[in-house]
DNA sequence: TCTGGGGTCCTAGGACCC
DNA sequence: TCTGGGGTCCTAGGACCC
C-alpha cells in the first residue's frame, strides 16, 4: 500500500489471485460498513491510469447526484484509449500554467497531447514534455513506494490582518520554530538548513534560507536563525501577510559526545522529558521558566 | 474561490574544489 | 599566469500536488 494523501492510496494487487473487481467491491463494502463512508476505486495497469480512473468514476456518480461509489476498470492495453477523451489537465503534472500553454497550442484533451510528436513536446516543455507524452499514452512505470523519507518540515501562518508589529511576528516565529523542532525530535531527525518564508500585503512571496554548520532539532536555534533571516528582508514596519519557518537538509541528529559537553547533553535529556509530557498531557502541562 | 497549509521536485546561477 | 572541465553544495524561485 502506498498512501498518497490523507484519504487516498495505491494498492498493488498484482500478486493476488482474486479478480480485481471482487477485491475492489469488498474494499468498498468494508469501508462503507465499518466507517460509513463512500469511496471510489480505479483499477488499471499503472498508478497514473488508476488514479485518473478513480476520478472519472467519482465524477460520474457526482453528476448523478449520488454519493461517490465509483468503480472504474481500465483493461490492460486500453490505457491510451481510455485517457484520450479526457481533459488535458487531468493528467498528473498538468497544473494551471501548463494547462494554459497547452490551450494556446490548441491542445484540450489527453488524446490531443498523444497526437503530438514527443520531440515537439520536449522542445516546448523540456524534460516535462517527455513525461507529458508518455503519460498521455498511458505509460507509467513508477512502482508502489511504501516508505518515504521526510525531506522537510515546516509551519506557516497567514494572518487575518496584515501585521507590522515586530513582537507579533517574532512570537509567531517562536511558536512555529517550537513546533518544527518538536516534530523533528518526535521523528528522531534534525535539519541543517533553516528557511524563512514571508509574504507581503501585495501577496508577493519570498524565501530566505541559510545552512547551519551542524544540523539542529532545537527550538531556539531555529527561531534565532529565522529572526536573523527576517531582518535581512523586512524593512521596519513593513506589513506581513504570511510568515513561516521550515527546516530541510534532514537526517539523523548528530549527538555531541558529552565528554566536556555535559550541559548540552543534560538539556537534550530535559527536552526529551518535556516532549514526552506534552505529548501525553498537552502543550500546557509544562513550560520553561523565563 | 482573490488565494490555507504542508509538502515534493526542478531549474538556474554562483561559489568552491580538484 | 591563464585556462578548462566536472562535481558538489548552496540559495532562490516556481510549478505542482492533496
Amino acid at each position: 500500500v502506498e498512501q498518497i494523501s490523507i484519504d487516498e492510496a495505491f494498492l498493488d494487487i498484482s500478486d493476488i489471485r482474486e479478480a480485481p473487481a471482487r477485491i475492489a467491491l469488498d474494499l468498498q463494502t468494508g469501508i462503507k460498513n465499518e466507517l460509513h463512508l463512500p469511496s471510489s476505486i480505479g483499477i488499471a495497469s499503472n498508478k497514473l491510469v488508476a488514479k485518473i480512473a478513480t476520478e472519472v468514476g467519482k465524477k460520474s456518480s457526482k453528476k448523478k447526484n449520488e454519493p461517490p461509489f465509483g468503480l472504474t476498470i481500465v483493461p490492460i492495453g486500453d490505457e491510451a484509449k481510455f485517457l484520450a477523451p479526457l481533459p488535458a489537465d487531468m493528467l498528473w503534472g498538468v497544473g494551471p500554467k501548463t494547462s494554459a500553454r497547452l490551450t494556446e497550442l490548441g491542445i484540450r484533451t489527453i488524446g490531443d497531447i498523444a497526437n503530438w510528436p514527443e520531440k515537439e513536446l520536449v522542445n516546448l516543455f523540456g524534460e516535462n514534455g517527455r513525461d507529458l507524452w508518455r503519460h498521455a499514452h498511458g505509460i507509467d512505470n513508477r512502482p508502489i513506494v511504501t516508505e518515504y523519507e521526510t525531506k522537510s518540515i515546516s509551519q506557516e501562518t497567514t494572518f487575518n490582518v496584515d501585521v507590522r508589529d515586530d513582537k507579533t511576528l517574532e512570537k509567531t516565529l517562536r511558536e512555529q520554530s517550537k513546533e518544527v523542532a518538536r516534530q523533528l525530535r518526535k521523528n528522531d531527525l534534525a535539519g541543517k538548513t533553516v528557511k524563512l518564508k514571508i509574504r507581503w500585503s501585495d501577496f508577493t512571496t519570498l524565501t530566505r534560507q541559510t545552512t547551519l554548520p551542524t544540523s539542529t532539532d532545537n527550538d531556539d536555534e531555529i527561531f534565532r536563525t529565522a529572526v536573523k533571516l527576517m531582518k535581512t528582508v523586512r524593512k521596519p514596519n513593513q506589513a506581513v501577510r504570511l510568515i513561516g519557518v521550515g527546516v530541510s537538509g534532514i537526517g539523523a541528529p548528530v549527538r555531541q559526545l558529552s565528554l566536556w559537553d555535559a550541559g548540552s547533553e543534560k538539556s537534550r535529556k530535559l527536552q526529551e522529558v518535556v516532549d514526552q509530557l506534552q505529548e501525553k498531557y498537552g502543550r500546557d502541562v509544562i513550560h520553561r521558566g523565563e
Side-chain angles (χ1 to χ4, degrees):
Chain A
V1 174
E2 173 178 351
Q3 185 169 355
I4 50 170
S5 73
I6 196 163
D7 66 348
E8 276 181 296
F10 290 115
L11 177 59
D12 184 345
I13 55 168
S14 49
D15 284 343
I16 303 181
R17 295 180 85 94
E18 226 178 322
R22 182 77 256 155
I23 299 172
L25 283 172
D26 286 349
L27 260 176
Q28 223 166 30
T29 312
I31 293 168
K32 191 182 168 207
N33 291 344
E34 287 174 39
L35 304 170
H36 312 290
L37 288 172
S39 59
S40 292
I41 296 176
I43 301 174
S45 61
N46 62 54
K47 296 206 287 192
L48 171 84
V49 180
K51 172 120 177 22
I52 294 179
T54 306
E55 281 164 37
V56 167
K58 194 168 157 184
K59 272 190 186 159
S60 75
S61 3
K62 241 187 199 160
K63 241 186 235 161
K64 293 181 239 156
N65 240 336
E66 294 163 1
F69 282 101
L71 174 52
T72 309
I73 302 175
V74 181
I76 295 175
D78 285 1
E79 292 83 1
K81 199 173 80 186
F82 167 76
L83 295 177
L86 302 172
D89 62 4
M90 282 187 82
L91 223 44
W92 205 224
V94 178
K97 299 280 174 179
T98 309
S99 182
R101 286 183 64 193
L102 289 172
T103 307
E104 270 172 42
L105 296 164
I107 296 175
R108 287 177 26 257
T109 65
I110 297 178
D112 293 342
I113 299 178
N115 283 332
W116 274 58
E118 181 179 7
K119 250 187 133 178
E120 283 284 309
L121 292 171
V122 174
N123 280 341
L124 287 162
F125 296 97
E127 274 314 295
N128 230 330
R130 206 177 304 280
D131 283 340
L132 224 46
W133 186 89
R134 292 171 55 82
H135 290 165
H137 284 265
I139 301 166
D140 172 29
N141 44 28
R142 291 167 305 168
I144 298 286
V145 179
T146 54
E147 272 174 49
Y148 282 102
E149 273 177 25
T150 303
K151 305 259 168 66
S152 68
I153 294 174
S154 64
Q155 288 273 310
E156 62 185 64
T157 312
T158 300
F159 299 112
N160 294 326
V161 289
D162 294 347
V163 171
R164 302 187 121 87
D165 171 39
D166 293 12
K167 284 264 150 50
T168 310
L169 293 173
E170 290 196 14
K171 196 178 141 229
T172 309
L173 279 179
R174 184 177 284 283
E175 309 245 305
Q176 293 171 335
S177 303
K178 221 183 202 178
E179 177 56 24
V180 167
R182 197 191 61 77
Q183 283 187 48
L184 284 167
R185 292 192 299 267
K186 190 178 163 191
N187 296 291
D188 205 23
L189 296 170
K192 268 196 86 166
T193 302
V194 177
K195 171 147 84 179
L196 175 86
K197 177 173 173 181
I198 203 160
R199 178 171 291 156
W200 311 120
S201 42
D202 68 356
F203 218 75
T204 55
T205 308
L206 55 83
T207 62
R208 288 294 179 272
Q209 68 183 54
T210 186
T211 300
L212 305 167
T214 55
S215 61
T216 185
D217 61 5
N218 177 271
D219 303 8
D220 214 46
E221 191 172 11
I222 297 171
F223 169 67
R224 286 195 316 262
T225 311
V227 170
K228 251 189 236 165
L229 289 170
M230 178 170 72
K231 286 186 174 152
T232 66
V233 289
R234 181 167 170 267
K235 284 169 266 171
N237 225 30
Q238 188 168 9
V240 173
R241 171 84 51 93
L242 169 151
I243 198 159
V245 62
V247 169
S248 60
I250 282 181
V254 183
R255 298 295 177 211
Q256 296 292 323
L257 286 179
S258 53
L259 216 50
W260 53 73
D261 210 14
S264 98
E265 176 66 12
K266 224 172 143 181
S267 80
R268 205 201 96 237
K269 284 197 169 145
L270 173 62
Q271 186 62 60
E272 219 168 83
V273 174
V274 171
D275 283 345
Q276 284 168 12
L277 283 169
Q278 289 184 336
E279 182 85 8
K280 200 162 174 186
Y281 301 107
R283 297 285 292 275
D284 289 332
V285 72
I286 185 167
H287 286 292
R288 255 175 211 280
E290 295 301 331

